[in-house]
Amino acid sequence: RRVHGDFDQDQFIMRVCVLFVFVAVIAVVYGSKCKPGDLSQCTMTCTNDKEEIGCEHDVCTCVPMATPCVDPMDCSQLNCDRHDENPHCLDGKCACTRDPHHG
């Protein structure tokens, strides 16, 4: 027989479990957040040897490894996803960047 105010171990365990799951979900969500150019918050690893960690839409993800380049022609085979971007050679890697003449 329980009296009002008695310690209910089952309820306590359930509350601790719910709190743990809530904290774990928050950790996973914020653990996958990043800022472009800053991958220090990304703790994941990529399993494909042709991919590397990147930051897409502020989320850590695996992206194809950038193609090394010396000349803009080295990037001619790169297909850019956005219509206002074209391949360019930046810092020795091919990258899709917005053309300056687009507004």
Side-chain angles (χ1 to χ4, degrees):
R1 178 177 149 188
R2 289 197 173 127
V3 178
H4 181 69
D6 277 357
F7 178 74
D8 187 346
Q9 188 175 3
D10 291 338
Q11 265 189 343
F12 176 76
I13 290 172
M14 182 62 77
R15 287 179 182 170
V16 168
C17 288
V18 168
L19 181 63
F20 177 76
V21 168
F22 180 72
V23 169
V25 168
I26 299 259
V28 167
V29 168
Y30 281 99
S32 65
K33 293 281 185 182
C34 59
K35 293 181 181 174
D38 179 16
L39 302 177
S40 63
Q41 297 297 312
C42 300
T43 58
M44 60 184 288
T45 56
C46 299
T47 56
N48 185 332
D49 62 353
K50 294 184 180 183
E51 292 181 328
E52 60 189 355
I53 298 172
C55 186
E56 300 261 331
H57 307 288
D58 299 332
V59 177
C60 300
T61 187
C62 292
V63 296
M65 284 187 176
T67 304
C69 61
V70 177
D71 183 87
M73 290 306 296
D74 295 337
C75 304
S76 62
Q77 299 300 315
L78 180 65
N79 292 320
C80 298
D81 293 332
R82 302 180 81 185
H83 70 83
D84 62 344
E85 292 182 340
N86 285 310
H88 295 278
C89 184
L90 297 172
D91 298 326
K93 293 181 181 178
C94 294
C96 291
T97 59
R98 194 170 182 176
D99 288 330
H101 61 271
H102 280 90

